[in-house]
Amino acid sequence: MTGSPPSGATPDGHTAGAASPHQPRPGQSAAGHASPRQSPPRPSSQRQSPPRQPAPPRQGDPGQPEPGDDPGPHADPHAYADLEPEAEGAQEARAAQRELVAHTPGFFLGDDARVGGSLVGGDQHGVSGGQVRGDVYMGGRTEIHHHGPAGTAPDASGEIPPEQLKELAAVFAEGPAFAAALERLREERVLVLCGAHTTGRNAAALMLMHRLGVSAVHALSPETPPAALSGQLTQSGGHVLRDLPLSRNRPLRDTHLFAARDQLAKTDGYLVVTVEKSPHLRGVTPCPWTPPPAEDVVRSLLNRRRPGEADALLALPPVADFLADADRHPAEAAAFAEALAAYDGSPDALARLADFGQAAVEKQCRDWLGDPDTGLREKAFLIALAVFDQAPYVLAAELADKLFVHFERLQHPEKPPTIPVFGPTAEDRLLLARAEGEIRQEQTDWGPVPQYMAAFRDERTPQVLLTEVWTSHPSARPALVEWLKLLARDGRPLVRTRAAAATALLAAADLPSTMALLVDDWATARGFGPRVTAANTLVLAQLLGAPVVLRLLTQWCNDGQWGRRWTAIRALGLLAPLRPDLAGPALDALASRARVDASNAAEQHNLTESAALLLSAGQRRGEVLAEFVRLLYRDTPAVRDLALAAFARACDNDEDGALVGWYADTGMYQADAARDMATLWRTALNDRAHTRAALNALHTWVHVAARRTDAALALELLLPALIVTADDRKRLDHELRTMRAEDGSRRPPLAEHLLTVLHPGTTETPQDTRS
């Protein structure tokens, strides 16, 4: 969704609220978070809330700096005066985890999403990834350009060398539209060939003349005014005017073509004009050009370079992978064919073919950003689409214009930037970007809604394009930095998460600069939104394999600045479920902060929330349980408190993938995990500081067990292991008797059954002793 931030939003995009975090609203716990028994809705790209008045800050809010904190180099002495505590406490760690997973581009979360050196998911990323020999044409406007010497008049023309036409004819693939275009040209003498610049329309124009058998083919200057076109057709033979620029003040009219046709009839000549799809063709019926299939282009060139071997070469696995992309344009296919023609059967040659798709994407991105004919607004759109790939088109278009404003200010500081109110259609912009759009359902808080979603056809494009603009165009960095900071303050979770994902890609390419220009400023911000973006950025950067991120997070856990500590603590909690192998180091880092025993209530809560997330670390939860047990007996009281609080918090969760579901499905069948689970439950129930939280979590397990037979069996087997003393039995007995069903009615039938488990040997439930 792409609406504006809700009314009453804070500068960080979160809605202010009247309630203090110490006075919960219905459905919230005392900390201002969603109650464990009422799961927050699945996050969406937009969230609406009614406007509220901000509450005054209270001591202990997560956003308040602690005494003795280092304010950092960018601190404002009044930076925290207007902090809104409701915004600070509005999102629990589990909700942040759902938001991160829901809105992160898919390649971050895949098994092979790794950047190491120049590898991206196993593909070579960089110019050094391979070599392509011969003439490589991968951009758009690549078919034979002729430039006269300096001072040549704009209406100059010249004959195209016949040998070039013969060479092109030997490898040209006609395509489905060629025959109809040739027949129309023969009859009308003038043909306007319309197609995208990547479709090979200019090569088609030359081959139309060649197939007609004209005596010579003359190239006209694209600067020729349409009204002066007929004056250039004084010679016999064929004429081609490629890439004629059109505009509102310079349209191509049917009267121009009538005059040209009359002149061509006198000289027995022909004319082909190539243009992109344009609204400035007045009365002209263009001939649409459809490019030939990539396989036809490759086969045609192979028949010329390697006669008789085309079928064997086309059967190679990398060739099938390349041709599987239906969007390969002719110039790209021709370049691949040249590389395939050089194949010598060696493993290195096969690897170069496999890497060719990546090299083609890199070349395309370099051409987009370096082409002076592509305007700043369209370059801004390409970058925005890279950030919002697979997201609503209107979101990319809206935020692209904001990036365009920053580019304009950077390039033309002497004048205020202006954004055209109307511009190219979505289809035209996506065509330039080699992207496509389709109507798909987007999940929101109110249910699925149809949205026009846009995505690059090659899924590697967003990564390559963002890396290219960051590392090869440093003059664009100030504008890009300001734009990403704007996205981090947006009220839409999708926007903030995509800002983090884009910044993680930049960090993987250049960590020091990205940390200095973006991440550290976000981490030390007074607002909740930027700090969440910083945490998400570091999590995603670690998933990409960016160097030293885990070490940085460990150091920040005990940093002198409270914002960096908050960011690191939150990031470690979010990271471990996505990288279960890092759950142990993450727990050690969180314990190192708890061991200092100098955190205020808000930071302790953040530590608890993050540590609790470690117990959702996939199938390695048994190992994490063992680490939690270790902290009970081999560490300080403060770390013990952290372990018990986090365990109770993790258990008090009935969402899909929660600890109770894992234990019923897997953990109860693992002897070590079952033993450690019972140890943690017993310890939490017998610790006065955590008894109430543990009993609340027990209610959650009973409610889940009422819906799942495997959870009911797990609870039956677990309860006897929790009873060591008579007091243990009394505590559980009282809790099962007094609990209510989820709808508030009398205790659920499963609780009745569990009472008989507590009192084996009895034939009926012991008498209820309540008054």
Side-chain angles (χ1 to χ4, degrees), residues 488-578:
R489 297 192 298 270
D490 197 281
R492 292 162 287 192
L494 171 59
V495 175
R496 295 194 306 271
T497 304
R498 288 305 182 90
T503 308
L505 282 167
L506 307 185
D510 181 3
L511 182 67
S513 295
T514 307
M515 290 298 300
L517 296 174
L518 286 166
V519 180
D520 194 59
D521 280 351
W522 285 337
T524 56
R526 66 182 182 182
F528 174 75
R531 281 185 278 119
V532 171
T533 307
N536 288 345
T537 296
L538 292 171
V539 169
L540 297 176
Q542 176 63 44
L543 294 183
L544 288 175
V548 307
V549 171
L550 187 61
R551 187 187 311 167
L552 180 149
L553 291 175
T554 302
Q555 292 175 353
W556 274 14
C557 273
N558 292 287
D559 193 88
Q561 210 282 333
W562 68 273
R564 293 193 188 100
R565 293 200 304 272
W566 188 98
T567 299
I569 291 167
R570 172 60 61 90
L572 288 167
L574 297 174
L575 176 62
L578 300 174

Side-chain angles (χ1 to χ4, degrees), residues 756 759-766:
T756 64
H759 302 279
T762 61
T763 58
E764 59 182 23
T765 303

Side-chain angles (χ1 to χ4, degrees), residues 192-394:
V192 177
L193 199 62
C194 177
H197 65 262
T198 60
T199 57
R201 67 184 185 212
N202 290 335
L206 296 176
M207 286 300 94
L208 285 170
M209 292 299 176
H210 184 75
R211 295 289 193 270
L212 280 177
V214 296
S215 57
V217 180
H218 302 275
L220 305 181
S221 169
E223 300 304 319
T224 303
L229 184 57
S230 61
Q232 304 299 309
L233 308 175
T234 57
Q235 304 180 65
S236 63
H239 306 267
V240 291
L241 198 168
R242 292 165 291 179
D243 301 328
L244 176 65
L246 300 176
S247 66
R248 181 174 59 85
N249 296 321
R250 183 179 157 146
L252 180 64
R253 301 181 184 275
D254 54 359
T255 55
H256 301 148
L257 300 186
F258 295 155
R261 184 178 295 113
D262 291 343
Q263 177 63 30
L264 291 167
K266 297 176 183 178
T267 61
D268 191 24
Y270 296 88
L271 170 66
V272 176
V273 180
T274 64
V275 297
E276 292 197 20
K277 182 180 178 182
S278 172
H280 307 300
L281 294 170
R282 308 293 169 77
V284 176
T285 303
C287 178
W289 172 248
T290 303
E295 182 175 349
D296 291 353
V297 176
V298 174
R299 183 181 292 275
S300 179
L301 193 143
L302 288 177
N303 287 334
R304 172 75 170 180
R305 301 284 192 270
R306 305 274 292 266
E309 300 181 51
D311 290 337
L313 292 172
L314 288 171
L316 294 172
V319 179
D321 293 341
F322 178 86
L323 297 178
D325 185 350
D327 187 49
R328 301 293 185 189
H329 56 69
E332 192 175 35
F336 181 75
E338 292 285 359
L340 184 57
Y343 174 70
D344 60 6
S346 66
D348 289 343
L350 194 66
R352 285 195 294 270
L353 290 176
D355 290 340
F356 185 89
Q358 179 71 25
V361 172
E362 292 170 354
K363 177 65 165 57
Q364 179 67 78
C365 292
R366 287 195 298 271
D367 288 346
W368 276 334
L369 296 174
D371 186 358
D373 294 333
T374 303
L376 275 183
R377 193 181 187 199
E378 290 313 308
K379 289 178 181 177
F381 175 74
L382 288 166
I383 294 169
L385 186 60
V387 175
F388 295 100
D389 186 53
Q390 299 282 354
Y393 166 83
V394 290

Side-chain angles (χ1 to χ4, degrees), residues 5-16:
S7 175
T10 71
D12 304 304
H14 293 269
T15 306

Side-chain angles (χ1 to χ4, degrees), residues 1-4 45-46 377 380-381 384-385 387-403 424-427 429-430 436-440 442 449-455 483 487 490 492 494-495:
M1 300 289 289
T2 56
S4 302
S45 57
Q46 182 181 17
R377 193 181 187 199
F381 175 74
L385 186 60
V387 175
F388 295 100
D389 186 53
Q390 299 282 354
Y393 166 83
V394 290
L395 195 61
E398 169 202 339
L399 296 171
D401 281 344
K402 296 183 184 297
L403 177 58
T425 65
E427 290 76 11
R429 300 186 93 180
L430 294 178
E436 57 190 12
E438 64 175 345
I439 301 294
R440 295 206 305 264
E442 184 192 16
V449 297
Q451 282 276 33
Y452 186 67
M453 314 293 274
W483 183 64
L487 301 189
D490 197 281
R492 292 162 287 192
L494 171 59
V495 175

